[in-house]
């Protein structure tokens, strides 16, 4: 059982109940849905709550896998905070995050002064994630390329060369310029791509 009473832990018959961090928008819409719902109490603005399956311990709970799609990025930052809470409730459950924008979270894009709860999750939770498939485009200082990895293979920096083709269409070639065991920083990737462009 969870509710939107932001971060309060309580005890429910010997079980610890951890509430999630509700984004302000969902709190607003939930309140509006209750007002518009009249006697029914819910106008369904956040979906049909009656269509949710009940959680039955041992049958469909605890989860065996959490598949989290695009938390926070394009949505509320509370998604990232709630992922850590989910993990802490069921530490044996595998969590797979797809399009998680973890570079933003781990790289300080969200200042701790404005997002203290999110900042607190970075070192103790998000920095422990391993990139299983990673493909990031780079376009800086007049060069183009990619940082690429498929676990457990090493990281690859790939230079993208675009030249006019014989038929007037662009001819694009991709040239691996570095294979690394450790993930390079943004600046290191750009430096490798600049050097690759100068050698062509």
């Amino acid at each position: 059982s969870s509710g939107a009473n932001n971060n309060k832990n309580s005890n429910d018959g010997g079980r610890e109940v951890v509430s999630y961090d509700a984004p302000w928008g969902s709190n607003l819409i939930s309140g509006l849905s209750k007002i518009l719902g009249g006697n029914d109490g819910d106008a369904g603005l956040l979906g049909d709550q009656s269509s949710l399956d009940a959680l039955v311990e041992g049958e469909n709970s605890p989860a065996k896998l959490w598949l989290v799609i695009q938390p926070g990025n394009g949505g509320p930052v509370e998604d990232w905070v709630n992922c850590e809470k989910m993990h802490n409730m069921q530490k044996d459950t595998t969590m797979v995050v797809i399009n998680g924008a973890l570079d933003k979270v781990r790289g300080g894009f969200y200042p701790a002064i404005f997002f203290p709860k999110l900042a607190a999750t970075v070192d103790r939770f998000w920095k422990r994630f391993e990139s299983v498939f990673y493909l990031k485009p780079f376009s800086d200082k007049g060069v183009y390329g990619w940082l690429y990895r498929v676990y457990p293979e090493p990281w690859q920096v790939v230079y993208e060369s675009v030249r006019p083709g014989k038929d007037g269409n662009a001819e694009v070639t991709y040239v691996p310029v570095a294979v690394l065991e450790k993930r390079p920083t943004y600046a290191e990737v750009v430096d490798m791509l600049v050097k690759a462009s100068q050698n062509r």
Side-chain angles (χ1 to χ4, degrees), residues 35-149:
I35 291 169
L36 294 175
N39 293 337
D40 294 334
D42 186 2
L45 296 178
L46 291 175
D48 182 2
Q49 299 296 312
S50 66
S51 69
L52 298 175
D53 294 332
L55 291 178
V56 179
E57 194 72 31
E59 187 177 313
N60 60 0
S61 176
K64 292 180 177 49
L65 171 73
W66 279 317
L67 184 60
V68 183
I69 311 294
Q70 199 169 341
N73 193 27
V77 295
E78 290 85 1
D79 288 353
W80 285 306
V81 174
N82 289 327
C83 285
E84 182 188 31
K85 288 182 177 189
M86 290 165 51
H87 167 74
N88 289 340
M89 288 174 58
Q90 295 179 11
K91 290 188 182 285
D92 292 335
T93 301
T94 300
M95 182 177 290
V96 176
V97 178
I98 298 174
N99 292 341
L102 299 187
D103 286 352
K104 281 182 167 181
V105 175
R106 296 187 281 205
F109 181 83
Y110 296 95
I113 189 89
F114 299 118
F115 303 96
K117 287 182 185 178
L118 179 59
T121 69
V122 173
D123 285 332
R124 69 177 179 232
F125 183 66
W126 289 112
K127 285 195 174 177
R128 298 184 324 185
F129 273 69
E130 180 75 42
S131 294
V132 176
F133 180 79
Y134 190 91
L135 182 63
K136 179 179 179 75
F138 282 77
S139 174
D140 199 340
K141 298 186 179 178
V143 294
Y144 302 94
W146 301 83
L147 179 59
Y148 172 74
R149 183 189 192 207

